[in-house]
Amino acid sequence: TCALPISRVDRLPITLIAIDEAHCISQWGYDFRPAYLAIGDLREHFPEVPVIALTATATERVVTDIQERLRFREPHVLRGDFRRPELTFWVSRGEDKLGRLLRIAERTTGGAIVYVRQRREALRISNRLTDAGFSAAPYHAGLPLEERDRTQRAWTQGSVRFVIATNAFGMGIDKGDVRTVVHWGPPDDLEGYYQEAGRAEIGRASCRERV
């Protein structure tokens, strides 16, 4: 992303304002993605331009917050089907979590994400997968931006197969061969689980306002 001065933005022939990963306006905009909180200011400069906000999942509170912060004149929400028949959900039971993960790595192909709750777990599990012969890298908000960008780029290009990440990873990914998403522990809520699991096949829902 890049920041343009408003004086330049005002001269652009903008016909649609589209916000991807729009849940960040509400969920992460206060810390991890603060720039999302400023998007609503564009409405002052382009009051007649249609706005669409896209997200894979959002609670009712988040949907309401998105529309308020984007200054919708009235609620306008389009929802797709929440069923994901192309995905297989599986719960693993047992104490040997690392052994299960290694068996998954051996028996599957394509890119993979392992979501963890703590940053130190990202490094530990990444090292264990690497020691077992699988290409892996950690990813969390505490790493330098350059390292995070380098990891995401390597994963997208296929030179790294496993990303071991906190929920900081996943926004804006564009990779067609993500075959496995593993949760090392339970996410904060069901919406988080559904959204992260869906990274194996990106879906979309939307809030839209047309003037």
Side-chain angles (χ1 to χ4, degrees):
T1 59
C2 61
L4 294 176
I6 288 297
S7 59
R8 182 176 175 186
V9 171
D10 284 338
R11 297 196 297 269
L12 296 176
I14 294 177
T15 57
L16 174 69
I17 298 173
I19 302 96
D20 198 14
E21 306 288 359
H23 59 277
C24 294
I25 293 173
S26 178
Q27 289 179 295
W28 291 347
Y30 302 97
D31 44 30
F32 191 59
R33 300 282 178 173
Y36 272 80
L37 297 179
I39 296 175
D41 295 341
L42 289 174
R43 303 302 301 272
E44 298 177 6
H45 300 269
F46 304 98
E48 303 302 318
V49 173
V51 174
I52 183 169
L54 303 163
T55 182
T57 57
T59 63
E60 289 296 333
R61 184 190 64 79
V62 170
V63 168
T64 299
D65 202 20
I66 288 171
Q67 294 177 92
E68 289 177 353
R69 291 190 171 278
L70 292 178
R71 306 173 193 178
F72 280 28
R73 292 179 176 86
E74 59 184 37
H76 191 174
V77 180
L78 304 177
R79 286 189 175 91
D81 196 332
F82 282 96
R83 291 175 296 178
R84 304 296 297 276
E86 75 279 11
L87 299 181
T88 298
F89 293 89
W90 173 60
V91 177
S92 175
R93 295 179 175 85
E95 297 297 325
D96 186 14
K97 295 168 68 172
L98 180 62
R100 298 276 179 134
L101 179 59
L102 292 175
R103 286 193 289 275
I104 289 171
E106 292 168 352
R107 298 174 185 178
T108 59
T109 60
I113 307 170
V114 179
Y115 280 110
V116 297
R117 298 293 298 275
Q118 298 178 332
R119 295 176 180 182
R120 65 174 180 270
E121 287 184 329
L123 180 60
R124 181 176 68 86
I125 297 171
S126 174
N127 288 339
R128 296 297 294 271
L129 282 168
T130 301
D131 291 343
F134 301 99
S135 58
Y139 187 107
H140 57 74
L143 294 173
L145 178 60
E146 296 78 8
E147 184 173 347
R148 280 183 275 149
D149 288 345
R150 185 166 58 249
T151 294
Q152 181 160 344
R153 190 162 51 248
W155 180 78
T156 300
Q157 295 171 351
S159 57
V160 167
R161 182 182 170 200
F162 281 85
V163 168
I164 319 302
T166 62
N167 62 4
F169 182 78
M171 285 181 50
I173 64 173
D174 183 14
K175 184 173 172 63
D177 71 337
V178 184
R179 297 290 179 260
T180 306
V181 176
V182 175
H183 284 87
W184 194 255
D188 291 331
D189 50 45
L190 186 59
E191 288 77 19
Y193 172 76
Y194 184 82
Q195 186 171 57
E196 290 164 4
R199 302 260 156 78
E201 178 78 21
I202 302 301
R204 288 291 182 264
S206 67
C207 304
R208 177 178 300 173
E209 178 178 6
R210 293 196 177 277
V211 178

